[in-house]
Amino acid sequence: MATAAAGAAVAAPRPEVIASGLENPWGVAFLPGGRFLVTERPGRLRVVGPDGKVGAPVKGLPPIAAGGQGGLLDVLADSGFERNRTFYFCFSEPDANDSRANSTALARARLSTDGGQLEELKIIFSQQPKVVSRNHFGCRIVEMPDGTLFLTLGERFSRKEDAQKLDNHLGKIVRVTKDGAAPKDNPFVGRPGALPEIWSYGHRNGQGATLGPDGRLWMHEHGPQGGDEINIPEAGRNYGWPVITYGENYGGGKIGEGITHKEGMEQPLHYWVPSIAPSGMAFLTSDRYGAAWKGNLFIGSLKFGYLDRIELKDGKVVAEHKLLEEGHARIRDVKQGPDGLLYILTDESNGKLMRLLPE
């Protein structure tokens, strides 16, 4: 990994704890008035006040298959939240006919004016098929300028070969409208045997996604043992898993043919060996931390417990800088707030919501 080799030196920011006592928080969204909407993986949604007070669990959530890597995962406030109080969240949805099976689902709801209740809840998308698994749910949500929603979907670990097939949602990124319909310009609309919601395929387990300054979707995904990737998913493209990878099986040994390139499959923008176990992803578009940080990409590391500041030039990673290493806390989410500051969640039984204060 490159270290601080490019760009002007910047003093490390100071983390400030806003709220603690959150049980394995997974996603954070920003609400008017300096409030936050935070998910806890065991299946609770909470409003956190600007003073850090953690509210009681919001009522009205659907049934959630919490366990393993599953539970209540990402959350995103609608771009028109101040007007419509609408937000989106994704979670592991149990199969009504088989309590062992589940899949990633995307829901839309309104937050009551007192912040204590969900209103007009609707499940707008459910990954198919449901699988008996507690792993690889993906589950990051991005709203695009055209109002469509992207959702990353894992291949559920035991079904990795399905990431190469278009008749299922495993190992895919899907693009839907806010009502859950497949937009007519999705790449596989009308193709026999292909699901119309699919945007790109050949993904493993994407736990970070964001709108890039270039107006495109950026995402990262977990590799197996090595081979975590940053990708810029384009319509209809195949990102290779599990046919090509820079990782290997847990404990060693090649995956498939052990190849990293194949015609018709996309190369990652960047990859890590060994894995950093990335989660959360945000571009810094503000100048709150100085010119050297503006335009940088920030990604949390679950495995090593640091925030990765990534410098890009001409579409390539030119340097990486490890921040917050001293805490060694698993960083689950990172977002830029309306105030231009970076906010992070730590994935712990006593998880924290923090902001980074410029020096």
Side-chain angles (χ1 to χ4, degrees), residues 15-28 38-42 140 279-280 300-307 323-335 342-356:
E16 176 187 53
V17 176
I18 300 168
S20 58
L22 297 161
E23 186 177 0
N24 300 107
W26 214 95
V28 58
V38 178
T39 60
E40 292 177 304
R41 194 174 71 237
R140 287 293 180 191
S279 189
S301 168
L302 294 166
K303 181 177 181 181
F304 296 116
Y306 64 81
L307 181 64
L323 308 174
L324 307 181
E325 283 187 284
E326 63 281 356
H328 297 292
R330 287 164 53 88
I331 294 180
R332 175 59 74 182
D333 200 11
V334 53
K335 298 272 176 64
L342 291 171
Y343 291 77
I344 65 172
L345 290 175
T346 63
D347 183 13
E348 307 165 282
S349 58
N350 179 21
K352 299 175 179 63
L353 170 63
M354 301 191 291
R355 67 167 63 92
L356 300 188

Side-chain angles (χ1 to χ4, degrees), residues 97-304:
N97 300 313
D98 182 351
S99 61
R100 302 171 303 156
N102 49 60
S103 69
T104 301
L106 177 63
R108 185 187 71 217
R110 285 162 55 95
L111 186 66
S112 62
T113 53
D114 64 2
Q117 177 79 32
L118 298 189
E119 300 172 345
E120 300 178 26
L121 172 68
K122 181 181 180 182
I123 309 300
I124 61 173
F125 172 84
S126 292
Q127 181 188 36
Q128 298 299 326
K130 283 183 162 49
V131 176
V132 178
S133 173
R134 291 155 57 94
N135 299 315
H136 293 195
F137 292 90
C139 208
R140 287 293 180 191
I141 315 163
V142 176
E143 180 181 354
M144 299 302 284
D146 65 1
T148 59
L149 301 173
F150 279 110
L151 176 66
T152 65
L153 297 171
E155 33 72 294
R156 309 310 314 282
F157 186 74
S158 61
R159 299 282 293 268
K160 62 180 183 293
E161 291 79 11
D162 281 333
Q164 287 294 314
K165 302 172 184 176
L166 297 175
D167 63 352
N168 66 81
H169 294 128
L170 307 182
K172 310 300 192 296
I173 292 175
V174 294
R175 175 176 175 251
V176 297
T177 69
K178 292 178 180 179
D179 291 322
K184 293 180 181 179
D185 58 346
N186 270 6
F188 299 110
V189 169
R191 180 184 293 194
L195 297 182
E197 299 89 0
I198 296 173
W199 177 261
S200 59
Y201 63 110
H203 299 288
R204 187 170 181 266
N205 185 29
Q207 291 189 349
T210 191
L211 176 64
D214 55 6
R216 295 186 292 173
L217 175 72
W218 288 57
M219 62 86 70
H220 64 63
E221 54 192 282
H222 289 262
Q225 186 168 277
D228 301 339
E229 298 180 358
I230 297 175
N231 287 299
I232 307 175
E234 296 186 27
R237 299 289 180 89
N238 180 353
Y239 289 82
W241 177 256
V243 179
I244 61 172
T245 178
Y246 287 90
E248 61 181 12
N249 279 311
Y250 295 109
K254 65 183 182 180
I255 293 172
E257 298 178 16
I259 59 176
T260 58
H261 293 67
K262 188 170 184 177
E263 186 176 357
M265 296 183 180
E266 304 301 314
Q267 283 293 298
L269 175 80
H270 182 67
Y271 64 91
W272 290 272
V273 176
S275 293
I276 68 167
S279 189
M281 188 177 199
F283 277 98
L284 182 69
T285 60
S286 79
D287 58 3
R288 295 294 303 272
Y289 304 92
W293 283 34
K294 189 172 183 177
N296 287 185
L297 181 63
F298 291 80
I299 293 173
S301 168
L302 294 166
K303 181 177 181 181
F304 296 116

Side-chain angles (χ1 to χ4, degrees), residues 27-31 37 39 45 73-79 81 85-90 106-109 140-144 148-150 178 209 333 335:
V28 58
F30 303 97
L31 302 181
L37 201 54
T39 60
L45 178 68
L73 303 176
D74 203 15
V75 61
L76 176 73
D78 185 80
S79 55
F81 183 91
R85 303 199 315 276
T86 296
F87 70 100
Y88 311 91
F89 62 94
C90 56
L106 177 63
R108 185 187 71 217
R140 287 293 180 191
I141 315 163
V142 176
E143 180 181 354
M144 299 302 284
T148 59
L149 301 173
F150 279 110
K178 292 178 180 179
D333 200 11
K335 298 272 176 64

